Amino acid sequence: MSVDHKQVARRYLWSGLGFLLLGGLLALLIRWQWAWPGQPVPGLAWALPESRGALTPPTYTSVFTMHGLVMIFFAVTPLLFGALGHFVLPLAIGARGLAFPRLSTLGFWVYALGGALVLVSFGVRLGPANAGWTAYPPLSTTAFTPGLGQTLVTVAVLCAGVSAFTYGLNFVVTVARCRAPGMTWGRLPLTVWGLFFASVLNVLFVPVLAAATVLLLMDRLLGTQFFIAGAAAVGGGGDPVVYQHLFWLFGHPEVYILILPAWGMVGDMVSFFSRKPAHGYRLTAGAMGVVSALSGLVYAHHLFTSGMSPMLGRTFMVLTLLISLPAEVMFLNWLMTLWRGSVRLTSPMLAALSTVVVFGLGGITGLALGAVATDVPLHGTLWVVGHFHLTMGAASFLGVFAGLYFWFPKMFGRQLHEGLAKAHVVSSAVLFLGVFGGQLAAGYAGQLRRLYDPYQYTYLKHLLPLNQWTTACAFLLGAAQGLFVVNLVWTLWRGRVADANPWQVGTLEWTCAASPPSDENFERIPVVLRGPHALSQPEVLEQLGRDWVGQAEALPAEAPAISGPQPLLERTS
């Protein structure tokens, strides 16, 4: 079994895309229920024969539980870190591979075991998990969720956590110890900065989730009472709110774990396709560091309605609002990079700009949830769902596709059809706004987020047309993914062979490695001479006749002063 990081990345890619399809289909079932509650879903009678294809309340609860778990732990996170991170990170820093190649392979197989348990859980008696993606006790104890499904999925989450810890540790050590000569911290691509900070968060906070999950399993299987209280407890019992603290101590940094790699890619691509150096490179990298440092200090705003002390509530409110400041610094830097640039609206650039838009809207709508006074009435509504789907779902999804469209030629040596890619990105971005904008509107009107049939309440009946319109957007969004599938299959089968450097950028993976790269990535380890965004430099235009230069490429005027091995630029450009 190969331990090459590129092979591991491809395994994560195909697995992650498979779970993305599963999670997306579950999302469409949720939307169907909100548009036509209790009506049979066309084509689902084979799976739900007793209800003739209609979602029953227990089935609906399982569907929204599994949608959240699958999307976060088995689709988006593995695609960002497992696929793109494993593939890009060693190439971008000039390394021959990851620091611990066997550990990355082990991490994939632990993730695969977790994925298998998720799939098996759909076939067991009483169905899969149905305690919500947060698995709050006492809902996730055997008293409320009997059966094997909840246990299998809890173990699967533990497997996903172990996998995330292994690649997080691997990435941190690789960036710290395996950079090519001359690749200083100030010359790292912003994508590497994003992956590095997110990996640090993985190493720090995933063990917290693992600990909470193990204690939860002990309550389910061994009769302990860490999170059991009230009438179900014997001899005093434990405290279910402790689980909520542990879960969100991981859960809120998880938002940044998912978005930091996307922010890094946005920073690089805005520069690459504006043909300008990244404005405020150091400030952007520093802002990502500040966000990472603050991410573990704001988690308790998820607990404003749990009976937390008002004094603590005020503290966490201030910290939560403060974390938006470094994010604004990044947004301003991206806008300044775009300003008066020679913008090329390629598919990766469109996906990067779409990420900026949806995350910006998600961030603005999150301000209302960071303040105690506005969080209390909105907390249990679809407003929360619309907000975190814009920030965690749509932004991460578009970030993944920005990366896939950008590095696909490097991964497979073939070029995706650019027209289909642009149509996929634009239609997805617009429909994301339709779906989650509709959820924000329904939440503001008071629709609670986990109701099986919201229209049992008179004050919500008028929201039915809005939910049907939102559901139409969701189904169109699902159909739009067919553009990517067609493009992917056609390209792998008969796609055009990619140019060596189709985006005309200077980072190491495009200027010093073949497409696809060899087993050792580089014939000779490159010596890095400059940062990743040396674009439209007058001396480069004068000496090379193009607006970009490789990170390890010596200009004719400076070549005599450079000693040591030079990159194989003539082979790749």
Side-chain angles (χ1 to χ4, degrees):
M1 185 65 67
S2 173
V3 296
D4 182 9
H5 69 97
K6 301 178 288 295
Q7 293 295 333
V8 175
R10 293 188 184 97
R11 293 176 203 145
Y12 272 114
L13 176 65
W14 302 128
S15 306
L17 289 175
F19 279 108
L20 188 66
L21 173 63
L22 174 61
L25 291 174
L26 293 173
L28 293 182
L29 292 179
I30 300 170
R31 287 302 333 174
W32 175 274
Q33 173 62 26
W34 287 343
W36 297 282
Q39 297 297 311
V41 181
L44 203 64
W46 64 273
L48 302 171
E50 294 181 356
S51 60
R52 299 180 180 179
L55 294 183
T56 59
T59 307
Y60 164 78
T61 310
S62 291
V63 166
F64 76 66
T65 296
M66 296 306 294
H67 162 70
L69 290 169
V70 166
M71 281 296 200
I72 292 173
F73 293 109
F74 296 94
V76 177
T77 305
L79 284 172
L80 276 170
F81 290 88
L84 294 174
H86 269 87
F87 184 82
V88 174
L89 191 134
L91 289 164
I93 64 172
R96 294 208 182 277
L98 288 167
F100 309 115
R102 288 186 175 82
L103 188 64
S104 70
T105 303
L106 174 65
F108 171 78
W109 288 112
V110 174
Y111 158 79
L113 172 63
L117 292 176
V118 166
L119 297 178
V120 169
S121 74
F122 283 93
V124 302
R125 184 172 174 270
L126 301 182
N130 58 5
W133 81 278
T134 54
Y136 277 177
L139 285 177
S140 55
T141 63
T142 51
F144 292 90
T145 50
L148 186 59
Q150 184 74 39
T151 302
L152 289 176
V153 173
T154 306
V155 176
V157 169
L158 186 60
C159 291
V162 171
S163 172
F165 181 83
T166 59
Y167 56 63
L169 181 65
N170 217 344
F171 288 3
V172 170
V173 176
T174 300
V175 174
R177 302 293 300 169
C178 302
R179 302 191 308 277
M183 180 60 87
T184 62
W185 290 94
R187 290 173 175 172
L188 290 174
L190 289 168
T191 300
V192 175
W193 275 113
L195 285 167
F196 176 76
F197 283 128
S199 299
V200 171
L201 295 182
N202 262 330
V203 172
L204 290 176
F205 294 109
V206 166
V208 178
L209 173 71
T213 305
V214 169
L215 295 178
L216 194 61
L217 279 170
M218 291 174 68
D219 279 1
R220 283 189 66 85
L221 301 175
L222 303 180
T224 57
Q225 300 181 34
F226 292 105
F227 305 128
I228 295 175
V234 177
D239 187 349
V241 178
V242 172
Y243 176 86
Q244 296 186 27
H245 281 275
L246 292 173
F247 180 85
W248 288 112
L249 187 54
F250 155 80
H252 197 77
E254 174 70 3
V255 175
Y256 299 102
I257 288 171
L258 291 180
I259 201 61
L260 278 165
W263 280 349
M265 286 188 272
V266 167
D268 279 336
M269 290 177 195
V270 165
S271 170
F272 293 155
F273 296 112
S274 297
R275 314 308 292 172
K276 286 175 61 183
H279 183 88
Y281 168 89
R282 292 178 185 276
L283 271 177
T284 299
M288 286 194 281
V290 174
V291 168
S292 302
L294 288 174
S295 65
L297 303 176
V298 303
Y299 79 93
H301 71 254
H302 294 275
L303 305 175
F304 283 159
T305 58
S306 69
M308 190 169 58
S309 162
M311 185 177 295
L312 279 176
R314 183 179 299 176
T315 303
F316 281 106
M317 179 179 71
V318 171
L319 288 170
T320 301
L321 297 179
L322 275 179
I323 205 170
S324 62
L325 295 179
E328 289 171 10
V329 169
M330 279 184 289
F331 272 74
L332 288 173
N333 282 337
W334 297 336
L335 292 176
M336 288 301 294
T337 306
L338 286 166
W339 178 251
R340 295 186 175 178
S342 300
V343 177
R344 298 178 180 177
L345 293 178
T346 61
S347 55
M349 180 63 158
L350 286 172
L353 294 177
S354 301
T355 303
V356 174
V357 172
V358 297
F359 187 83
L361 290 173
I364 290 171
T365 55
L367 292 176
L369 302 172
V372 177
T374 44
D375 176 75
V376 170
L378 290 172
H379 188 82
T381 71
L382 276 183
W383 179 278
V384 177
V385 181
H387 155 70
F388 77 70
H389 273 81
L390 282 171
T391 51
M392 284 183 69
S396 299
F397 178 95
L398 291 166
V400 165
F401 277 95
L404 275 181
Y405 285 128
F406 187 75
W407 283 294
F408 190 90
K410 182 58 61 179
M411 294 179 84
F412 296 99
R414 294 182 180 275
Q415 186 79 36
L416 288 161
H417 188 277
E418 187 67 356
L420 281 175
K422 290 180 179 179
H424 171 239
V425 168
V426 173
S427 59
S428 295
V430 171
L431 291 166
F432 270 133
L433 296 178
V435 175
F436 303 131
Q439 289 186 342
L440 287 168
Y444 188 75
Q447 181 175 335
L448 300 178
R449 54 181 167 172
R450 288 176 177 172
L451 291 180
Y452 170 73
D453 182 2
Y455 318 109
Q456 292 178 336
Y457 297 88
T458 303
Y459 79 101
L460 296 178
K461 285 183 181 294
H462 70 287
L463 295 180
L464 179 60
L466 171 63
N467 277 314
Q468 289 176 334
W469 180 84
T470 307
T471 296
C473 289
F475 275 81
L476 287 173
L477 176 62
Q481 305 319 303
L483 295 170
F484 170 72
V485 175
V486 170
N487 201 359
L488 177 69
V489 173
W490 175 260
T491 301
L492 290 176
W493 183 38
R494 303 191 62 175
R496 178 171 62 86
V497 175
D499 297 334
N501 189 354
W503 312 117
Q504 298 181 316
V505 296
T507 45
L508 296 181
E509 76 272 22
W510 291 110
T511 53
C512 298
S515 297
S518 63
D519 288 346
E520 295 194 332
N521 290 346
F522 308 98
E523 189 171 321
R524 288 176 296 181
I525 293 295
V527 177
V528 179
L529 304 173
R530 56 182 58 82
H533 307 126
L535 296 157
S536 302
Q537 306 293 310
E539 66 273 19
V540 175
L541 286 167
E542 180 182 343
Q543 296 181 45
L544 300 180
R546 46 180 157 87
D547 68 348
W548 60 274
V549 60
Q551 278 191 274
E553 181 183 8
L555 293 174
E558 60 187 13
I562 305 297
S563 60
Q566 294 299 303
L568 302 177
L569 197 65
E570 68 276 7
R571 297 173 185 270
T572 58
S573 63

